Amino acid sequence: VRVLLANPPAKSIFARLGLTLPPLGLLYIAATLEAEGHVVAVQDFAVDGRVGRFDFSPYRVVGLTTDTCRSGLAYDLARRAKEAGALVVIGGPHTHYCEEEALATGHVDFVVRGEGEETMAELLRVLQGGGDPRRVAGLSFAGGRLADGSLEVLRSADRPPPADLSALPFPARHLVRLESYRKAQVFGRPAATITTSRGCPSNCHFCAVPDFVGRRLRYRTLENVMEEIDLLYHRHGYRALCFMDDNFTVNPRWASSIAREIIEREYDLHLWLFSRPDTIVRNPEMVELLARAGTKTIFMGIESGREETLKEFNKRYKPEVARQAVQLLKNSGIETLGAFILGSESDDRKTIQETVDFACDLDTETAQFSILTPFPGTRLYEQLKPNLKTGDWSKFDGMNLVFRHPGFPGRTLERWLLKANFHFYFRSRESVGRFLTFLRNRWRVNRDPQQLT
Ligand code: B12
Ligand code: SF4
């Protein structure tokens, strides 16, 4: 079957800074389908946004991915694909929860729930063999109209997520132009993305991962991970890697074993990863190994400088732990990208100022401030659903306040977001210097692309 997998245009702050990364989920599905003999193309509209000129007609099946803030863009692609005569399938963290919305557009034939490698492969097998696709586990599709006029959603059986991640073929990176992503760098080096595990045992109330991906951690084998790293290093020539695992350090033995392998192979790599302050503080030996393996930046969900807010988010550590973690990383020569959330239910102007001051005081090298956003599938969403002030999903991007907050009428919180960034990045001569270096590096990358194959 001739299949197109497409990623809608990106609209996050990362994308505006040019930091687009290959759509790993689609590349995993593409690899699985190629292994079954299908002819697969991947179109990433996040790097080539010319949606209007794209011709969907050569493809029998079009698969789309989407998160919440890009769902409108994904449905627009679905409409175009449907008009061109394709069978349209959609997946990802948004439609997993909002399947009725996707099907009600009339442009989507199937919603794939959860992780889609096996479901998509079986769906194509059945389509090819002339069977009934509605029997394929993991799918939702439209039934008739119900008495109240709403759409009946029919679901096949649930499909458990892939238990053996090492059995999945490596992401089909050859289907995208890797040079298009060269602005995503770790300390001046274009970076490849990779995942070594799926899931997260924590249960932060604003995060979709515990429900969508699951709280049980699933790992690839170390051999399988190193085989992919070898490939990225030797064949593609990458000298930087971003680990996209939801929480790479949650199992310190796992993170340490990967670091040890990289050290033993004497790879010259710059590494970037997601972590939490508590796992950093509890595991100084792991931090040392990560540093020796080349870790340059750790994205750490610090969220807030207030104990009460951390409790509200179910973070299970105190602000002091974040301070210790940042210090430990500094001592090991690792930079911290601190992520902070503004607008918890107990926040007011004073407490926001406290969080911004806390961020400045921690002196993380970079900070990302976002506005608390209730994504479907999260505990926070269930809590705030009656208080949502917009149904426009494109505003669910961490830059807009989408629920009624007693402390922040109108667009006051959006103004605080700007102030927080200004305050943080212009807090000292050194921080302004860092910001300028970042801009200069981007310019240099544009002028002097490193060839990746
Ligand atoms: C890495 C990552 C990023 C990277 C993206 C890099 C990239 N292009 O790969 C960066 C840092 C840039 C990023 C940014 C943001 N992210 Co993010 N990110 C993640 C993270 C940690 C991992 C994603 C990943 O690579 N997973 C591994 C791959 C293999 O899985 P996958 O993509 O989910 O795909 C599988 C299934 O979803 C399904 N599937 C997906 N698409 C399709 C399509 C078809 C046809 C089929 C059949 C199946 C299918 O099958 C795939 C294979 O199993 C997830 C957490 C998570 N685990 O989901 C959050 C997550 C996706 N991000 C989230 C958010 C909120 C954001 C931001 C809004 C944050 C912000 N404040 O700016 C931005 C928005 C980006 C944008 N839309 O422009 C939320 C999304 C919630 C939602 N409902 O939308 C998540 C779930 C985390 C959370 N807090 O809950 N993010
Ligand atoms: S925010 Fe991070 S630590 Fe918390 S549940 Fe999500 S992935 Fe896990």
Side-chain angles (χ1 to χ4, degrees):
V1 177
R2 200 155 175 208
V3 187
L4 175 78
L5 298 174
N7 188 30
K11 52 159 309 220
S12 67
I13 178 76
F14 300 100
R16 280 175 216 165
L17 291 169
L19 305 176
T20 28
L21 295 164
L24 265 189
L26 288 185
L27 298 186
Y28 262 109
I29 290 167
T32 306
L33 299 184
E34 277 199 329
E36 300 233 340
H38 301 291
V39 180
V40 187
V42 174
Q43 175 67 21
D44 187 354
F45 289 108
V47 291
D48 178 358
R50 287 169 298 173
V51 174
R53 286 200 223 148
F54 192 82
D55 181 12
F56 287 93
S57 62
Y59 306 99
R60 177 164 169 213
V61 175
V62 171
L64 302 165
T65 188
T66 191
D67 43 22
T68 297
C69 64
R70 296 182 301 159
S71 51
L73 299 168
Y75 300 149
D76 184 49
L77 293 177
R79 178 180 57 78
R80 288 167 191 272
K82 192 89 241 151
E83 281 168 5
L87 179 111
V88 178
V89 184
I90 197 163
H94 182 72
T95 49
H96 175 86
Y97 296 103
C98 300
E99 43 187 1
E100 184 185 344
E101 169 192 292
L103 295 168
T105 60
H107 313 309
V108 171
D109 297 287
F110 294 105
V111 171
V112 170
R113 304 191 305 274
E115 292 168 35
E117 288 91 345
E118 290 164 5
T119 306
M120 195 67 176
E122 194 182 331
L123 174 65
L124 293 201
R125 251 180 264 136
V126 168
L127 284 176
Q128 233 170 357
D132 183 0
R134 294 176 302 179
R135 289 178 186 271
V136 173
L139 292 179
S140 302
F141 43 92
R145 287 276 158 196
L146 297 170
D148 64 359
S150 65
L151 186 76
E152 184 189 13
V153 175
L154 300 175
R155 292 184 188 88
S156 62
D158 285 341
R159 181 187 293 273
D164 180 7
L165 297 180
S166 299
L168 300 174
F170 297 157
R173 296 185 176 86
H174 58 280
L175 296 180
V176 290
R177 285 183 61 240
L178 290 173
E179 315 90 75
S180 315
Y181 305 96
R182 63 174 186 268
K183 283 190 202 165
Q185 303 200 347
V186 183
F187 270 54
R189 297 180 180 179
T193 50
I194 179 170
T195 58
T196 73
S197 66
R198 293 185 187 175
C200 177
S202 304
N203 196 9
C204 307
H205 287 170
F206 55 78
C207 180
V209 170
D211 193 79
F212 177 59
V213 194
R215 292 182 70 186
R216 197 173 67 81
L217 271 162
R218 285 164 289 137
Y219 300 99
R220 298 166 57 185
T221 61
L222 187 57
E223 297 71 46
N224 185 256
V225 170
M226 290 315 296
E227 198 184 321
E228 189 176 347
I229 293 181
D230 289 349
L231 193 81
L232 293 169
Y233 194 85
H234 293 299
R235 166 110 67 88
H236 293 286
Y238 278 106
R239 291 297 176 265
L241 294 180
C242 295
F243 289 103
M244 289 301 172
D245 302 49
D246 302 307
N247 182 352
F248 184 71
T249 60
V250 66
N251 178 344
R253 270 192 303 175
W254 176 244
S256 302
S257 62
I258 294 175
R260 248 185 239 110
E261 287 290 330
I262 291 174
I263 296 166
E264 267 169 32
R265 281 167 163 74
E266 297 184 358
Y267 281 172
D268 170 25
L269 277 169
H270 287 178
L271 306 177
W272 188 105
L273 51 102
F274 288 109
S275 182
R276 275 172 59 114
D278 45 357
T279 53
I280 294 292
V281 169
R282 277 202 300 266
N283 300 288
E285 305 82 18
M286 172 194 71
V287 172
E288 213 33 61
L289 277 170
L290 287 173
R292 279 177 50 209
T295 305
K296 296 292 173 199
T297 305
I298 292 191
F299 180 112
M300 206 156 54
I302 296 174
E303 327 301 8
S304 172
R306 295 177 66 236
E307 203 173 326
E308 193 185 341
T309 307
L310 290 179
K311 260 197 202 137
E312 258 174 63
F313 293 159
N314 196 28
K315 275 313 246 198
R316 295 169 187 272
Y317 56 77
K318 301 208 161 121
E320 264 324 289
V321 176
R323 194 182 294 281
Q324 289 164 18
V326 173
Q327 200 48 55
L328 184 62
L329 293 181
K330 272 190 200 292
N331 295 346
S332 306
I334 299 175
E335 293 199 346
T336 304
L337 194 179
F340 298 89
I341 298 182
L342 309 181
S344 79
E345 282 180 284
S346 67
D347 256 341
D348 55 26
R349 290 189 210 180
K350 187 171 151 283
T351 62
I352 291 229
Q353 187 61 56
E354 275 169 32
T355 290
V356 176
D357 289 343
F358 183 67
C360 295
D361 193 39
L362 287 183
D363 197 30
T364 58
E365 285 71 14
T366 24
Q368 185 205 337
F369 296 93
S370 27
I371 292 180
L372 182 66
T373 307
F375 290 106
T378 62
R379 175 108 169 238
L380 187 72
Y381 184 75
E382 293 314 314
Q383 226 168 287
L384 291 176
K385 212 153 83 177
N387 274 335
L388 291 183
K389 62 177 187 181
T390 173
D392 177 358
W393 293 126
S394 72
K395 298 268 186 282
F396 284 57
D397 60 355
M399 317 262 286
N400 295 283
L401 180 64
V402 295
F403 61 94
R404 281 178 284 277
H405 193 305
F408 300 100
R411 307 229 355 125
T412 40
L413 192 54
E414 285 79 351
R415 284 201 286 279
W416 268 101
L417 184 66
L418 274 178
K419 268 197 228 167
N421 279 298
F422 189 82
H423 205 91
F424 182 86
Y425 285 102
F426 290 86
R427 69 191 185 283
S428 67
R429 216 175 238 255
E430 206 193 341
S431 58
V432 174
R434 244 186 244 133
F435 191 62
L436 293 177
T437 308
F438 169 75
L439 293 180
R440 255 198 309 274
N441 281 347
R442 280 195 57 209
W443 178 80
R444 205 183 62 212
V445 175
N446 287 338
R447 295 267 322 253
D448 180 21
Q450 176 185 321
Q451 270 323 109
L452 295 165
T453 54

